Every structure is written in C-alpha cells, then in structure tokens.
Amino acid sequence: MIPSENRSYFSASCSPPRSVLCVGAAVLDTLFRVRSLPTGQGKILPYDMLQVAEGMASSAAFAVARLGGNASLWGAVGDDATGVRIIADLGNSGIDTSGMVRVAGARSAVSTILVDDQGERLIVPFYDVALHETVKPVTKQDVSAFDAVLVDVRWPKLALRTLLAAGEAGKPAILDGDVAGDGVIEMLAPAASHIVFSQPAAQRLTGTAEPAKAVGLLKRKFEHAFISVTSGENGSFWFDDRAGEVFHLTAPIVRAVDTLAAGDIFHGAFALAIAEGAPIAETMRFSSMAAALKCQVFGGRIGAPSRAEVCDALRGWDAPATKMRDR
C-alpha cells in the first residue's frame, strides 16, 4: 500500500509554471442534455445545449492551463468558419494556439454529443481525413522549450514525430492511449515514455476486461514505458517500476453530471504533474481528482477544475494506492 501522505504536494503552482505541449484533436462539439440516451430510432428533445471547442488534446491543454501550467496546442482545423471559432475559443481559454494549422480545402472536425442524467454520453464525431494528410517535420529544438509533451491518437503521424523529438530532447513523451485505428498504438507506444490507456483501449489490445491484468500484459508489451489504465468509476491502475507491482487507486466518489472530457482532464493533469516532477503515486491522485471534479459539471472540458479546487478536494480524500494481488 502507498500512503497518501503528500497531500500538500500540489498546493501551489510551480514557479515558473511548467509548459506542456499537447498534440492532436481540436473539435467543435455540440452538447445536448437529455434525460436518457436513445435506444432506437425516433426524436429526442434535449433540455439544454452548449457548443464548445474541445477534443482529447484540446481538453487536456485546457486542464493544464486551469491547473496553473502553460499549455500549447498543435492541431489542425479547416479553412472554414468552424476552424476560426475553434482556434478563437481555445485561445480565449488560455491555450497557446500559435502552432495550430489551417488546412486549405478541409472541413474542421465537429461532433454531436448527447449527455444523459447519469452523466453518460453518446458521441457522433466527424473528422475530415484531409485535416491530417500533411505533417510538418518536428525536431528536438521544436520541443526543447516544453517540460513535457502529450499526444493523442487523432493525428498519428504528427504524434509520432513529436514523441520522437521529445525523446531526443530528453523530455517526458506521454501518450493518451485511447481507442484508435489498427496499428496506431503499436506505432506510437515505442516512442512514448509514459502511456495512459483508457480501459476500452487496454481491453482491445490485451483481450481482458480486468484493468489490473491488462496493466501487467501491457507492461510486458511496452517494457520501456510507464503504464497505466484508467477505468472511470473503478479508478486507475498502474505498474510501479520500483516495486515491480501493479497498484490501484479508487476513484473519488462524486455525483456524475457529465463524464465527457474526464479522461482528457486526467491526461492534462497527469502531463503537468509529470512536468513538475511529482512522484507517480501523487501524480495519479492529482489526475484522478481533477477528472472526478470535472464530472460534476456539465459542459465537457469547461468543467475542468482549478488547481486550488483540486488541492482542496485532495485534503479530504484519504484513499491510498493498494497493491494488486494478481496482475
């Protein structure tokens, strides 16, 4: 068991703030609140709606900014009004969007999302394949100003170049291991220093629905990297390299209003904590609490908590990380 004794570790932002580069999805989401998700054809009437620019990397970048870090985003939008709105929305949210690309002739990514009264969601995304056809070169000089990089799976070629450049520059190279096309994870993982898988992605790669077992299997597959699997209300699991064991941290108990972007907020918090040099057990606690607090707010990434909110919540959360008997 790893005790939760460093509860004040994140009580103040690092000075100077650490910088995190996020690479990947930038989408205009239209969120509808409904009483329950549809089970068949017909018409469903929402009782609330919101439009917000987000996506895995974008939401993670917002979390970094909310938690006191400097966030930069590399992603692609089309040369349309939606692209203008996405970049403006993210820029106004405290994210450096100077590295964003506008692709001539492409349509910006959009998504329609239904969120029910239990906080669960149904997502219908659209990505124009033309958005990610062209990939710029990335050198270690390009990433040298950042303290960590975090990539998602939506722009695999750029993600790979960024991970490799981060490795050359000696920076943490973090992969958001979400469900992706065939071969994408296998292409990106060897270049990553840290991989945080979603439970569905871990199950797809290992064939097991047991997160602790999946962690062990994934660690054998990607021995060079830190391995973790997040499993929503079931908490997070990771392989502790010093102990040589799988550990589990229960999820904070909250009333879930909207789980959209919770995993992305986890990844953003994780990347910032790694950039700040936090111990891994405290990094997992910090990330878990940030994701849990987000779930209490409707609006996708808009619900990302501030650093003060996370630290206040951590002071009242005593859950220790426990060693799993069977990995």
Side-chain angles (χ1 to χ4, degrees):
M1 182 172 68
I2 299 177
S4 55
E5 57 194 15
N6 295 325
R7 287 185 223 151
S8 62
Y9 189 93
F10 297 100
S11 59
S13 298
C14 279
S15 183
R18 300 298 187 260
S19 297
V20 178
L21 169 64
C22 300
V23 178
V27 188
L28 182 63
D29 283 348
T30 301
L31 283 63
F32 294 104
R33 295 190 77 177
V34 298
R35 296 301 178 193
S36 60
L37 296 179
T39 57
Q41 65 179 0
K43 181 181 292 186
I44 184 167
L45 300 177
Y47 63 89
D48 198 2
M49 73 85 66
L50 173 71
Q51 285 190 312
V52 59
E54 49 188 0
M56 290 187 289
S58 300
S59 298
F62 182 63
V64 170
R66 285 283 286 158
L67 293 168
N70 293 326
S72 298
L73 178 67
W74 290 357
V77 297
D79 59 346
D80 50 21
T82 300
V84 172
R85 179 171 180 179
I86 289 172
I87 292 176
D89 191 355
L90 296 173
N92 291 336
S93 297
I95 301 168
D96 178 3
T97 59
S98 61
M100 294 290 291
V101 177
R102 296 196 65 186
V103 182
R107 291 170 290 178
S108 296
V110 295
S111 184
T112 298
I113 302 168
L114 304 183
V115 181
D116 71 13
D117 283 346
Q118 286 69 52
E120 296 302 322
R121 74 273 193 199
L122 175 66
I123 305 175
V124 183
F126 171 77
Y127 289 89
D128 188 338
V129 293
L131 280 176
H132 301 145
E133 286 182 343
T134 303
V135 183
K136 65 179 181 180
V138 182
T139 68
K140 66 178 182 180
Q141 287 75 24
D142 294 323
V143 301
S144 61
F146 302 103
D147 298 295
V149 303
L150 167 67
V151 307
D152 69 27
V153 296
R154 288 292 175 259
W155 197 348
K157 292 180 181 178
L158 182 61
L160 179 58
R161 292 187 180 185
T162 305
L163 290 173
L164 290 171
E168 290 180 15
K171 308 291 184 177
I174 304 162
L175 170 61
D176 175 350
D178 203 354
V179 174
D182 291 343
V184 170
I185 294 292
E186 290 83 354
M187 178 182 73
L188 298 177
S193 61
H194 300 71
I195 312 173
V196 182
F197 292 94
S198 67
Q199 191 276 329
Q203 181 173 349
R204 181 174 176 178
L205 287 168
T206 64
T208 178
E210 300 176 33
K213 185 176 181 180
V215 167
L217 292 171
L218 289 165
K219 182 63 180 179
R220 295 185 189 100
K221 187 176 182 67
F222 307 116
E223 295 181 349
H224 67 286
F226 167 82
I227 299 294
S228 173
V229 173
T230 60
S231 187
E233 63 183 10
N234 296 317
S236 55
F237 302 77
W238 70 93
F239 188 88
D240 186 280
D241 290 303
R242 288 190 301 176
E245 298 286 349
V246 176
F247 280 80
H248 173 234
L249 181 66
T250 60
I253 298 175
V254 297
R255 180 183 177 274
V257 172
D258 174 14
T259 59
L260 180 67
D264 308 327
I265 302 308
F266 185 105
H267 285 90
F270 180 92
L272 181 59
I274 291 297
E276 293 180 358
I280 197 63
E282 293 307 312
T283 294
M284 300 302 289
R285 286 174 53 77
F286 183 69
S287 307
S288 297
M289 183 57 72
L293 293 178
K294 178 266 131 345
C295 291
Q296 298 181 120
V297 181
F298 172 70
R301 59 107 171 157
I302 289 175
S306 68
R307 194 180 189 101
E309 290 170 330
V310 174
C311 291
D312 285 346
L314 284 173
R315 280 191 281 271
W317 187 40
D318 294 323
T322 57
K323 185 186 300 184
M324 302 298 295
R325 292 180 180 276
D326 180 14
R327 58 172 232 257

